[in-house]
Amino acid sequence: MHWEFWTKKVDEEDLIENGVYEEHNGTSRTAGMNGSGPSRLVDPLEDPLPGVGTYEDFNTIDWVREKSKDRDRHREITNKSRQSTVALLHSISDAFSGWLLMLLVGLMSGALAGGIDISAHWMTDVKGGLCLRGFWFNHEHCCWLSNETTFQERDRCPQWQSWAELITGKSEGPFAYIVNYLMYIFWALMFSFLAVILVRAFAPYACGSGIPEIKTILSGFIIRGYLGKWTLIIKTITLVLAVSSGLSLGKEGPLVHVACCCANILCHLFTKYRKNEAKRREVLSAAAAVGVSVAFGAPIGGVLFSLEEVSYYFPLKTLWRSFFAALVAAFTLRSINPFGNSRLVLFYVEFHTPWHLVELAPFILLGIFGGLWGALFIKANIAWCRLRKTTCLGHYPVIEVLVVAALTALLSYPNSYTRMSGSELISELFNDCSLLDSSQLCGYKQPANTSDTGVDNSLADRPAGPGLYTALWQLALALVFKMMITVITFGMKVPSGLFIPSMAVGAIAGRLLGVGMEQLAYYNHDSVIFKGWCSQGADCITPGLYAMVGAAACLGGVTRMTVSLVVIMFELTGGLEYIVPLMAATMTSKWVADAFGREGIYEAHIRLNGYPFLEPKEEFEHSSLAVDVMRPRRMDPTLAVLTQEGMTVGEVESLVESTHFSGFPVVVSSESQRLVGFVLRRDLLISIDNARKRQDGIVSASQVVFTEHTPPLPPDAPPPLRLRCIMDLSPFTVTDHTPMDITVDIFRKLGLRQCLVTHNGRLLGIITKKDILKHMAQMANRDPDSILFN
């Protein structure tokens, strides 16, 4: 991933963790801060303070404050709407703004996805040749316009010429093959070089899949620029280049990042979403659904993907809006019709032959293969990425991309199944052979009577011919190649999705097994297994269905998706009758992969990058207490606190400057240590700086007061600085004997940033999300210092 682009030094001994807030039970937590709710963050002159309530880079949002601000804003708009017609219209437009934003996100994402599909298809074909009728036509469209194209050789037409024909005038022979081979490698290197250079020069965040970072951002973490306009522009351009270069990667994961960038940029058009980080994350959750919707042409699958895989906080309102945005995006993509077949994806298929109960055994076998491949891939890819991160390999990303691109092009060109793009390969493997199909995978021996067809005019099972045996050998080599090259490709400094390579591996394995089952049924139709449902001359086995099930199994093994994956796959095929095989393979794949490790590939990359993400699926199985995890520990310096009165501005500034903590507990006095509240470092600094500039008499000797009423001061004392308005009067607390499994559950369910530990009301210490993650890593025998960010 892009670990070397993090330039912010993070103090790993910080006590205050910037975590995720989520509103809990609507309790008195919101009634703090001068009794007017946490949204009322005002300076002593009762004017809004710019900067208070905002967040620094690599910090986490305060969910409670954001939700409270939105509630107060909504309450104010509702109250005003009863007073005038203009205010009523403003109230209606405010309520409608969310749906309008979803409409814009869907339109923009669908349009960009269509452009990416068309451009990638054309540039992939450019590696093989050019269209004489117009260089902007891809191979397929060029031959569509030709009157000399035959059905058997639909890919050949005089208007499309290979590079050998254009350069040497010959289309056959060893010299022509070498010229085409060299041009293929040249374009692969050119496209990959442009992709990595653009990423490094203009948008370092545009590399990788983007889904691990999107998951972290949706949990409340802030990565400035990750969803910005430059990232969007460069990711869109370099995604086309990376896919066209022939590298073993897909565009589906990065399309989620692209859709989230669109949503983040469009949020700035609406005040409600521009000024509220929690509301913006609801939009980003919907945008993740849009990304999958346009990637696979699966709007419902996209919504379920966002719910199951990426979203941290997914209220019912977000579900409806995600559904609407995914619908708009799919409709936009369908209107653009990027593949010219009135479908949303390149590998849309329809199967007609029903499956039989006996076939569940090979489907489950594919599930086992998918789970084993998923677990192996995650371990190998994380080991390679860690090697990249800890050695000099990470300092030369351009050379790495060029070497991998050259290796991929060199090895993939001789094999027609690795030469074609991932989407075309999957389309070929999913394909159900028809009578006039010219594909090598349909190289069966023709029956004596060509009218010998099976159910629904599909061909009966036939013996394999020499063409099919050649194709199977090529597929076996392609399987080994894809499995190995994808490990080193995912995580390079170019946009790289994992959906298509994983599906390709599974589809190859599934097609091989499907053809094997088909031949077994053909030669043994009288055996106990096939007798009664597979008679001679019937179309019993559909190899394309096995490819589809294998693709789902491998993708499930790598990502650990279940429900959303099954829905995406059946939306692709349009066949409800194949849900049971897909469910069986996907569930088996997840169980097998989970036996080797509970993390999917995205969670593994989150952990590798040290993001503060508290995984909801990971269970805490130890008997620790809050006092064992809290800081300060024994032999540590005492906890830095503020007192509610008695400290001067100079003393507070000195305390803040001498520590790196993100916030400070406020106590009654140093002696009693009775907890009063909690104040954030950023709000404290902004308030003091503002008071020095705008309030007369505020000097270093001025007392800082967090009480409701100002205590009596000497006549000659400077005026006090009242900061009760920025203090959280109801910070979340647990006792020192609270079991850690309950504490971890509280952090997960309520999305806490930190939790104060007390004993009989007396402050003992603090537990942050970072402390919990470090403790969990220590208990699992992992390096606790791998948690890099607050």
Side-chain angles (χ1 to χ4, degrees):
M1 304 302 286
H2 44 266
W3 57 274
E4 71 260 30
F5 299 113
W6 304 117
T7 55
K8 190 176 182 72
K9 178 171 171 56
V10 180
D11 184 351
E12 296 197 13
E13 297 304 317
D14 283 5
L15 297 185
I16 306 305
E17 169 62 32
N18 292 291
V20 182
Y21 269 115
E22 192 172 315
E23 188 177 3
H24 47 83
N25 303 332
T27 60
S28 61
R29 179 88 166 81
T30 60
M33 304 197 185
N34 253 0
S36 59
S39 64
R40 204 156 170 270
L41 298 165
V42 294
D43 72 351
L45 297 179
E46 298 300 316
D47 290 330
L49 264 186
V52 168
T54 59
Y55 307 96
E56 293 178 345
D57 203 2
F58 303 114
N59 280 314
T60 321
I61 69 168
D62 183 335
W63 284 84
V64 174
R65 171 157 40 187
E66 297 300 308
K67 297 298 285 183
S68 299
K69 276 162 61 176
D70 185 61
R71 259 201 314 274
D72 287 351
R73 185 196 60 80
H74 186 263
R75 194 180 297 121
E76 186 181 352
I77 289 172
T78 306
N79 291 337
K80 284 182 178 177
S81 67
R82 302 189 184 102
Q83 298 168 9
S84 70
T85 309
V86 175
L88 178 63
L89 290 173
H90 178 249
S91 174
I92 294 168
S93 69
D94 181 75
F96 183 67
S97 62
W99 294 101
L100 178 59
L101 178 55
M102 290 297 105
L103 176 70
L104 295 174
V105 170
L107 289 170
M108 188 173 176
S109 302
L112 280 175
I116 288 169
D117 286 335
I118 292 167
S119 306
H121 201 171
W122 174 72
M123 289 176 70
T124 300
D125 287 348
V126 162
K127 290 187 298 181
L130 275 181
C131 185
L132 298 180
R133 191 183 292 270
F135 72 91
W136 56 88
F137 288 116
N138 64 33
H139 192 170
E140 192 176 14
H141 288 162
C142 187
C143 289
W144 272 357
L145 301 170
S146 173
N147 296 323
E148 301 165 56
T149 308
T150 62
F151 190 84
Q152 268 77 13
E153 295 189 339
R154 65 183 81 110
D155 290 337
R156 293 193 176 205
C157 59
Q159 284 77 17
W160 180 269
Q161 293 204 343
S162 67
W163 289 108
E165 288 177 274
L166 291 167
I167 295 168
T168 67
K170 295 180 181 178
S171 60
E172 303 292 336
F175 184 63
Y177 182 84
I178 291 168
V179 170
N180 285 331
Y181 201 160
L182 292 174
M183 287 304 293
Y184 183 89
I185 295 171
F186 167 76
W187 285 114
L189 288 171
M190 175 66 74
F191 292 155
S192 56
F193 176 72
L194 285 173
V196 71
I197 284 293
L198 286 171
V199 166
R200 274 185 66 80
F202 296 104
Y205 288 149
C207 67
S209 160
I211 293 180
E213 285 76 17
I214 297 294
K215 283 188 74 161
T216 312
I217 287 169
L218 287 176
S219 75
F221 196 59
I222 287 178
I223 308 176
R224 300 263 181 239
Y226 198 82
L227 302 175
K229 60 181 182 296
W230 273 110
T231 305
L232 173 64
I233 294 166
I234 297 302
K235 186 121 189 177
T236 304
I237 296 167
T238 55
L239 178 55
V240 174
L241 290 165
V243 169
S244 306
S245 70
L247 288 166
S248 182
L249 46 83
K251 61 181 181 293
E252 282 65 24
L255 275 174
V256 174
H257 188 185
V258 166
C260 286
C261 287
C262 294
N264 187 59
I265 291 164
L266 290 168
C267 276
H268 287 83
L269 302 175
F270 301 87
T271 310
K272 178 164 75 171
Y273 296 100
R274 183 175 70 247
K275 293 187 174 180
N276 195 295
E277 293 286 352
K279 295 294 289 179
R280 193 182 303 185
R281 272 151 183 76
E282 292 178 18
V283 177
L284 295 179
S285 288
V290 169
V292 174
S293 172
V294 294
F296 287 107
I300 302 170
V303 175
L304 290 173
F305 171 81
S306 179
L307 175 61
E308 180 184 4
E309 189 63 25
V310 295
S311 292
Y312 191 89
Y313 174 61
F314 202 83
L316 197 59
K317 182 169 60 177
T318 304
L319 179 72
W320 300 332
R321 288 181 176 171
S322 300
F323 185 79
F324 174 67
L327 164 72
V328 172
F331 174 77
T332 307
L333 189 62
R334 171 67 180 76
S335 303
I336 294 170
N337 194 14
F339 304 111
N341 59 1
S342 299
R343 302 295 184 191
L344 297 177
V345 281
L346 192 57
F347 42 85
Y348 181 91
V349 287
E350 284 184 281
F351 302 127
H352 303 288
T353 311
W355 62 280
H356 194 269
L357 198 62
V358 173
E359 292 182 277
L360 268 182
F363 292 150
I364 288 171
L365 199 63
L366 284 173
I368 293 170
F369 171 78
L372 291 172
W373 149 247
L376 176 68
F377 173 80
I378 291 168
K379 289 186 185 302
N381 180 250
I382 292 299
W384 180 259
C385 289
R386 189 170 282 116
L387 183 73
R388 180 189 290 129
K389 198 171 180 178
T390 53
T391 62
C392 60
L393 180 65
H395 299 133
Y396 305 101
V398 178
I399 294 172
E400 183 194 6
V401 169
L402 288 175
V403 168
V404 173
L407 188 67
T408 304
L410 198 67
L411 295 176
S412 64
Y413 187 83
N415 188 336
S416 60
Y417 293 110
T418 50
R419 189 190 313 164
M420 63 179 69
S421 72
S423 296
E424 287 178 273
L425 173 61
I426 293 168
S427 178
E428 182 88 353
L429 294 167
F430 281 10
N431 183 39
D432 194 13
C433 290
S434 60
L435 190 62
L436 297 175
D437 212 314
S438 59
S439 167
Q440 262 198 314
L441 283 170
C442 300
Y444 295 94
K445 291 177 182 174
Q446 290 296 333
N449 180 12
T450 53
S451 64
D452 184 15
T453 58
V455 186
D456 292 334
N457 295 321
S458 56
L459 283 170
D461 288 346
R462 296 163 290 168
L468 181 58
Y469 283 123
T470 305
L472 293 181
W473 273 111
Q474 288 181 328
L475 280 179
L477 291 171
L479 178 64
V480 175
F481 172 72
K482 285 277 183 189
M483 288 172 74
M484 294 174 69
I485 205 73
T486 307
V487 168
I488 60 173
T489 305
F490 186 69
M492 291 197 308
K493 296 296 176 275
V494 291
S496 53
L498 195 58
F499 282 32
I500 290 295
S502 301
M503 288 175 69
V505 167
I508 294 170
R511 188 79 187 204
L512 291 171
L513 182 62
V515 172
M517 283 292 293
E518 184 184 45
Q519 296 305 302
L520 194 66
Y522 178 80
Y523 289 109
N524 299 280
H525 55 80
D526 290 330
S527 68
V528 179
I529 300 173
F530 300 105
K531 197 171 185 180
W533 67 278
C534 186
S535 57
Q536 188 169 8
D539 182 18
C540 309
I541 306 290
T542 308
L545 172 61
Y546 284 73
M548 186 182 81
V549 172
C554 279
L555 185 53
V558 171
T559 63
R560 310 300 160 85
M561 291 157 54
T562 50
V563 181
S564 54
L565 176 58
V566 170
V567 173
I568 287 169
M569 294 306 291
F570 96 70
E571 281 189 272
L572 283 180
T573 58
L576 284 169
E577 60 188 304
Y578 303 113
I579 281 188
V580 173
L582 285 169
M583 289 174 73
T586 305
M587 209 63 243
T588 306
S589 167
K590 180 174 168 54
W591 284 335
V592 171
D594 280 350
F596 294 92
R598 301 297 294 274
E599 285 184 331
I601 186 68
Y602 302 129
E603 291 80 17
H605 273 274
I606 287 171
R607 190 188 297 282
L608 180 71
N609 290 326
Y611 298 137
F613 185 77
L614 199 54
E615 177 55 54
K617 301 168 193 169
E618 192 175 357
E619 294 178 12
F620 190 88
E621 298 172 341
H622 308 284
S623 56
S624 321
L625 298 176
V627 72
D628 301 323
V629 180
M630 75 171 195
R631 298 202 184 184
R633 310 263 171 86
R634 290 186 183 88
M635 310 302 292
D636 282 354
T638 55
L639 188 64
V641 297
L642 301 172
T643 56
Q644 66 176 358
E645 55 185 60
M647 291 183 76
T648 64
V649 170
E651 288 170 342
V652 171
E653 286 178 325
S654 175
L655 177 67
V656 171
E657 285 169 12
S658 64
T659 60
H660 299 282
F661 311 146
S662 300
F664 301 91
V666 180
V667 294
V668 173
S669 66
S670 302
E671 294 76 31
S672 76
Q673 291 287 308
R674 296 281 175 181
L675 183 63
V676 176
F678 192 84
V679 63
L680 292 175
R681 174 199 189 94
R682 181 177 174 83
D683 292 353
L684 194 61
L685 287 171
I686 290 172
S687 299
I688 291 174
D689 185 55
N690 181 75
R692 281 185 180 275
K693 291 175 182 174
R694 296 177 60 186
Q695 257 189 295
D696 292 334
I698 297 296
V699 293
S700 295
S702 298
Q703 272 208 32
V704 176
V705 179
F706 291 99
T707 54
E708 196 166 354
H709 303 290
T710 308
L713 298 170
D716 56 342
L721 174 59
R722 297 185 58 196
L723 294 180
R724 186 179 176 85
C725 56
I726 65 164
M727 181 173 66
D728 179 3
L729 289 170
S730 52
F732 205 95
T733 60
V734 295
T735 67
D736 50 342
H737 290 294
T738 305
M740 271 310 293
D741 55 342
I742 293 175
T743 308
V744 169
D745 221 24
I746 289 168
F747 267 81
R748 280 188 185 134
K749 299 283 173 60
L750 306 182
L752 296 184
R753 182 203 305 242
Q754 74 276 316
C755 182
L756 299 172
V757 182
T758 62
H759 178 76
N760 294 336
R762 189 172 182 272
L763 181 67
L764 290 183
I766 188 168
I767 297 175
T768 67
K769 185 159 65 165
K770 188 172 179 181
D771 293 330
I772 288 178
L773 288 167
K774 284 191 168 190
H775 181 70
M776 290 171 78
Q778 209 166 7
M779 293 291 106
N781 295 319
R782 296 191 304 265
D783 179 17
D785 292 328
S786 62
I787 313 298
L788 299 178
F789 298 101
N790 284 339

